[in-house]
């Protein structure tokens, strides 16, 4: 098989992992890495035995496909350059800064008839893949994506940095347009929002509560789904899926505890999980990682011409929903009045300390 000539554009924290994985695939030739920081490009290129670039123009005629892992602000300019040349593109999430930019990339990919994939990596989490194969129709969902402050992606807030993962998953699972969006959040470090809670109401009756925070001490990434078919819980960190469903006996005859005596109720406590509610715990495949799966999927789409699992329209729809969340967030009335403080930067002044402040040593770096 002819090796696919590929390049990675942007080899910072995440992009260097794209490059590392591609360089290790036997059916790929990593012909170059490009970065606005020439020293970073040279360092990664030397480590992987490829060629560094500080400009993407020389790569246009040398590659069969590219992975774009630049800051979001550059996604449209970089991706459009390659799509106009008929080169398939994988671009990291969020797809672009605006829906209009995303629409333009979708149109360019369609005109060139080449695959255009968006890097919503959680679609390749084994636990979510397993859930997607089950006949579940969500009616209430809770999604939580919390993590510590890393100092990265400060050009965007928690909605586009974190929550957009779950917005994409919800759109994929629910399969219905979103009717109403409300949101509240705060910018703790100034600038963009750092913590957000959103409520989504879908046209098919499903309701979702989604939270994202990048100032949490311990990582938490989980999804919980309630449906007529049962309950599903995903831990994205451990890649575990828990499924709970009614037994055939309960589905056929129901379960009415209102007329049970004390002894029967006591027995029921011990029999709920097993006889009446059945539980299945599944561990995700730990042999590989999601980024490798995502990149291999893209390569297969380039070779076959198949539509990617997460195509440009999916990335666009997640971005559009994220923009609706951001609009609701900015319009949130902290005091219930339009004339009062609004949005993530308008948090009212504290009424006092929750506990006696600790005495800290002077900050010498300040």
């Amino acid at each position: 098989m002819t090796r696919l000539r590929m390049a990675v554009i942007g080899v910072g924290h995440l992009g260097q992992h794209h490059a590392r994985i591609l360089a290790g695939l036997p059916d790929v030739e990593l012909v170059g890495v490009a970065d606005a920081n020439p020293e970073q490009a040279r360092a990664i290129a030397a480590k992987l035995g490829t060629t560094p670039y500080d400009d993407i123009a020389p790569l246009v005629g040398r590659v069969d496909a590219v992975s774009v892992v630049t800051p979001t602000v550059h996604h449209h300019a970089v991706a459009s350059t390659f799509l106009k040349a008929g080169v398939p593109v994988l671009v990291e999430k969020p797809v672009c800064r605006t829906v209009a930019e995303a629409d333009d990339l979708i149109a360019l990919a369609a005109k060139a008839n080449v695959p255009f994939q968006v890097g919503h990596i959680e679609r390749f989490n084994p636990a979510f893949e397993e859930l997607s194969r089950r006949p579940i129709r969500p009616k209430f969902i809770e999604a939580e994506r919390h993590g510590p402050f890393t100092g990265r992606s400060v050009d965007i807030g928690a909605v586009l940095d974190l929550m957009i993962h779950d917005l994409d998953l919800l759109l994929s699972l629910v399969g219905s347009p979103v009717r109403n969006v409300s949101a509240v959040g705060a910018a703790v470090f100034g600038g963009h929002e750092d913590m957000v809670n959103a409520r989504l109401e879908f046209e098919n009756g499903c309701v979702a509560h989604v939270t994202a925070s990048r100032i949490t001490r311990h990582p938490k990434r989980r999804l919980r789904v309630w449906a007529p078919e049962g309950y599903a819980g995903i831990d994205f960190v451990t890649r575990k899926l828990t499924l709970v469903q009614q037994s055939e006996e309960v589905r056929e005859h129901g379960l009415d505890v209102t007329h049970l005596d004390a002894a029967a109720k006591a027995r029921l406590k011990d029999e709920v999980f097993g006889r009446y509610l059945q539980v299945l715990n599944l561990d995700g495949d730990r042999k590989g990682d999601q980024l490798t799966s995502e990149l291999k999927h893209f390569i297969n789409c380039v070779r076959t011409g198949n539509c990617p699992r997460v195509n440009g329209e999916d990335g666009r729809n997640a971005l559009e929903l994220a923009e609706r969340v951001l609009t609701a967030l900015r319009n949130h009335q902290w005091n219930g009045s339009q004339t009062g403080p609004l949005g993530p930067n308008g948090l009212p002044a504290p009424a006092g300390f929750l506990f006696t402040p600790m005495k800290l040593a002077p900050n010498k770096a300040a």
Side-chain angles (χ1 to χ4, degrees), residues 21-135:
I21 293 168
L22 291 173
L25 296 179
D27 58 340
V28 171
E29 178 188 359
L30 184 65
V31 299
V33 295
D35 199 278
N37 180 346
E39 291 183 3
Q40 178 71 1
R42 285 195 293 270
I44 300 302
K47 186 182 299 184
L48 300 176
T50 189
T51 305
Y53 294 87
D54 57 12
D55 181 14
I56 63 174
L59 284 166
V60 173
R62 295 196 60 210
V63 294
D64 303 310
V66 294
S67 183
V68 178
V69 203
T70 65
T72 306
V73 66
H74 302 301
H75 282 185
H76 179 266
V78 175
S80 62
T81 297
F82 288 99
L83 289 174
K84 287 176 182 177
V87 178
V89 171
L90 165 63
V91 63
E92 264 300 334
K93 65 81 199 167
V95 56
C96 288
R97 290 178 301 176
T98 67
V99 170
E101 287 185 345
D103 285 336
D104 185 55
L105 294 185
I106 293 168
L108 289 174
K111 182 178 180 180
N113 193 29
V114 296
F116 175 39
Q117 182 172 325
V118 183
H120 284 282
I121 196 170
E122 293 288 28
R123 293 273 204 106
F124 295 86
N125 188 297
F128 184 79
E129 290 179 320
E130 186 63 47
L131 178 61
S132 299
R133 291 190 282 266
R134 310 273 167 165

Side-chain angles (χ1 to χ4, degrees), residues 84 120 143 196 215 227 252 266:
K84 287 176 182 177
H120 284 282
V196 185
I215 55 168
E252 185 175 349

Side-chain angles (χ1 to χ4, degrees), residues 178-202:
V178 177
R179 177 185 295 149
N180 295 316
V181 176
S182 57
V184 59
V188 178
F189 298 114
H192 299 286
E193 75 286 346
D194 297 299
M195 50 193 298
V196 185
N197 178 279
R199 174 184 168 90
L200 312 178
E201 298 178 8
F202 293 81

Side-chain angles (χ1 to χ4, degrees), residues 240-276:
K240 291 183 177 180
L241 170 65
T242 298
L243 299 172
V244 182
Q245 66 183 10
Q246 295 175 328
S247 66
E248 290 183 323
E249 177 184 350
V250 174
R251 285 197 178 188
E252 185 175 349
H253 303 292
L255 178 61
D256 185 358
V257 301
T258 57
H259 302 297
L260 297 181
D261 58 27
K265 288 181 180 178
R267 288 196 305 272
L268 179 62
K269 272 181 18 180
D270 298 326
E271 296 178 341
V272 166
F273 289 100
R275 178 172 180 178
Y276 300 107

